[in-house]
Amino acid sequence: VQVIQFTRGVPARESLPVREVEDASREAIRTHGPALLQYGPSPGFLPLREWLAAAHGVGPDQVVVGNGSLQLLELLCVSRFRAGDRVITEVPTYDRTLTLLRRHAIRPVGVPLVDDGADLRELERAIRERRPRALYLIPDFQNPSGVTWSTAKRRRVAELAEEHDLLIVEDSPYRALRYRGEERPSLLSLCPTRTLYMSSFSKLLGPGPRVGYMVGPPDVVWSLAKAAEDSYICPNNLAHGIAYEWCRSGRLAPQLQRLKALYAPRLEACRRAVAEHLSGVKASSPEGGFFLSIELPAGSSARAVRAAAKEHALEIADGEAFFPEGGGERFLRLPFCALTPEEISEGVRRLAAATRQLQGAALPA
Ligand SMILES: Cc1ncc(COP(=O)(O)O)c(C=O)c1O
C-alpha cells in the first residue's frame, strides 16, 4: 500500500516550470551575465526589485529581495526587534516563524483565529495588555489553517496599527493562489505606511531558487538591506536574475493560471472528502492556498490519531507546533496541493478510519 503524506506544504512536482526556467536562465545569463556572476546590491538584483515595485505600485526603495522570504523575517528580527519584544501572531500560525522569533528571544503572543480572521476582541486585549512591537499575520489562505481574513477585519487591524503605532508584518505567499471567492484588500493597501508585506516565488516558480521579498516603508527596507549586507554581502544574484527574466518575459501570469487549474480541483477534492468521511469534524473552508485544517471533536487527541494513521499508511504533521503558547491537541493540517484528487480522497478516508478506530478503542468493552 502506498503511503499518503499530508505532511509538508510544498508545491506539486508537476507544477514546477522546468523548461521555462531553463529558457529564462539562458536568457538571464545572456543579457545580464557579468552582473549575475558578480556581487550585487544587498537589497537584491535591481531589475527584479523594479519589476516587483511596479507590480505593487511602490518605489524600488520600498522593495528588498532576499534568499527566500523567511530569511528576510530573520533580518527583521536582527535589525528592528530586540530580545524580550513581543509580537502578536494568530493561533495557530506558521511554525517556522515561531521558531525564528524564539531564536531571537522575541516572545510570540497568540490571538485565536476564527473563520474570518483573528478574534478581534482578543486581539485588542492582547495589544492593550501585552504591548507588542508588531503583528505577524497571514491574512490570505493561512498556513496552517486555510483561513482568509474578511475585509472588515482587515480594516480594523489597519486602524489598530495606527492607533497603537504597530508594524504589521503581512506574510502572504499564497495570495495569488485563489481558487474561489473574491479577492480581499491586502493590509499593505489598507495601511501602506505601517505594513511590511512579505511574499515569495516559492509557491509560484518553486522554492529551490530561494527568491522571496518584502515591500514596506523605505526606512524598514533600508534596515533589512543593511542587515543583509552584514550577513551575506548580497543575496543570490543569479537566482534573482532568472526570476526576473521569467517575470519580464510574461511567464508568471500563465503559470498562475496553470497552478490554479491544477490546485482548484485538489481543494475541492479535499473539501468533498472531509464532508463525506469526517462529517462530525470542524473543518476550515479555504478559498485558495495549500491548506485545509480540521479540529477533531472534544476528547480526541490529534497525536493518537496521527499514530493510528500510520497503521493506515497515512502520515500527518504534528499540529501542536503551530500553537505559540500551547494547545493544538486536536488540530490537524491537511496540505492538499502536492497530492492528486484520488490520493486526497483516499488519504481523508484513511484519516477517518484511524479516527473511528480510536473511538472504537475508547468504548467500554
Ligand atoms: C506563511 C509562510 N511564510 C513563509 C514561508 C517561507 O517562504 P520562503 O520559501 O519564501 O522562505 C512559507 C512556506 O511554506 C509560508 O507558508
Side-chain angles (χ1 to χ4, degrees):
V1 183
Q2 178 149 1
V3 176
I4 295 177
Q5 291 186 319
F6 277 126
T7 42
R8 292 185 66 200
V10 297
R13 186 183 160 87
E14 62 273 30
S15 77
L16 301 171
V18 176
R19 284 298 309 279
E20 295 190 356
V21 173
E22 185 183 341
D23 292 343
S25 306
R26 198 175 299 114
E27 199 52 43
I29 291 284
R30 189 178 299 148
T31 315
H32 303 282
L36 297 184
L37 298 185
Q38 188 53 276
Y39 287 117
S42 60
F45 184 55
L46 183 59
L48 181 58
R49 287 174 67 213
E50 288 172 340
W51 193 89
L52 289 168
H56 285 280
V58 299
D61 63 336
Q62 290 188 253
V63 179
V64 54
V65 192
N67 303 316
S69 60
L70 199 63
Q71 192 177 30
L72 292 171
L73 192 60
E74 168 125 68
L75 298 179
L76 182 71
C77 293
V78 168
S79 61
R80 307 290 284 207
F81 298 160
R82 296 283 164 270
D85 281 351
R86 283 177 287 269
V87 170
I88 287 187
T89 76
E90 297 148 317
V91 179
T93 189
Y94 181 41
D95 52 347
R96 289 191 196 279
T97 292
L98 293 175
T99 308
L100 201 149
L101 292 175
R102 289 186 181 123
R103 192 163 73 213
H104 291 275
I106 296 161
R107 279 177 280 171
V109 173
V111 171
L113 202 54
V114 291
D115 291 345
D116 60 348
D119 178 326
L120 283 186
R121 237 195 338 211
E122 292 291 327
L123 177 63
E124 292 186 32
R125 192 154 66 108
I127 292 174
R128 262 196 330 269
E129 294 177 5
R130 310 287 294 273
R131 306 220 158 250
R133 177 172 283 269
L135 312 173
Y136 168 82
L137 307 172
I138 312 170
D140 292 291
F141 325 125
Q142 202 237 21
N143 181 5
S145 66
V147 164
T148 292
W149 283 56
S150 68
T151 303
K153 285 195 170 178
R154 290 171 194 242
R155 290 194 196 288
R156 183 66 191 132
V157 162
E159 286 169 6
L160 287 168
E162 287 293 341
E163 281 167 30
H164 297 271
D165 189 21
L166 293 168
L167 177 72
I168 302 173
V169 180
E170 177 178 27
D171 188 3
S172 218
Y174 306 98
R175 183 168 168 82
L177 297 174
R178 174 174 281 282
Y179 318 132
R180 56 195 200 99
E182 276 176 31
E183 186 169 291
R184 312 276 176 186
S186 66
L187 294 171
L188 179 68
S189 70
L190 296 175
C191 195
T193 57
R194 297 187 170 277
T195 302
L196 191 57
Y197 179 89
M198 170 172 166
S199 190
S200 178
F201 285 90
S202 291
K203 308 298 184 295
L204 308 178
L205 185 156
R210 308 304 296 129
V211 184
Y213 63 96
M214 284 185 170
V215 177
D219 62 319
V220 180
V221 164
W222 186 88
S223 313
L224 295 170
K226 180 76 180 78
E229 183 176 358
D230 295 345
S231 305
Y232 50 64
I233 307 177
C234 75
N236 184 339
N237 232 359
L238 181 56
H240 286 194
I242 295 168
Y244 166 67
E245 182 55 35
W246 186 74
C247 292
R248 186 208 60 78
S249 56
R251 289 172 165 116
L252 175 58
Q255 169 72 352
L256 275 175
Q257 291 313 314
R258 281 194 297 271
L259 290 175
K260 290 182 189 180
L262 181 67
Y263 293 153
R266 296 180 179 197
L267 170 60
E268 275 323 299
C270 199
R271 284 159 47 86
R272 221 175 312 119
V274 167
E276 184 181 341
H277 299 298
L278 292 167
S279 52
V281 165
K282 186 172 178 331
S284 66
S285 184
E287 298 185 339
F290 276 26
F291 309 102
L292 183 145
S293 64
I294 60 174
E295 192 182 313
L296 297 169
S300 339
S301 148
R303 198 173 291 186
V305 168
R306 285 173 58 223
K310 276 210 171 129
E311 294 167 27
H312 295 262
L314 177 69
E315 287 182 12
I316 308 178
D318 169 22
E320 291 179 34
F322 301 113
F323 288 72
E325 296 170 300
E329 293 85 358
R330 293 188 281 128
F331 179 85
L332 289 173
R333 180 185 78 167
L334 303 180
F336 54 80
C337 278
L339 299 171
T340 64
E342 295 71 32
E343 288 167 333
I344 292 165
S345 309
E346 176 59 16
V348 173
R349 199 193 60 73
R350 290 181 194 176
L351 175 58
T355 312
R356 268 198 311 275
Q357 175 189 327
L358 287 174
Q359 282 165 349
L363 292 174

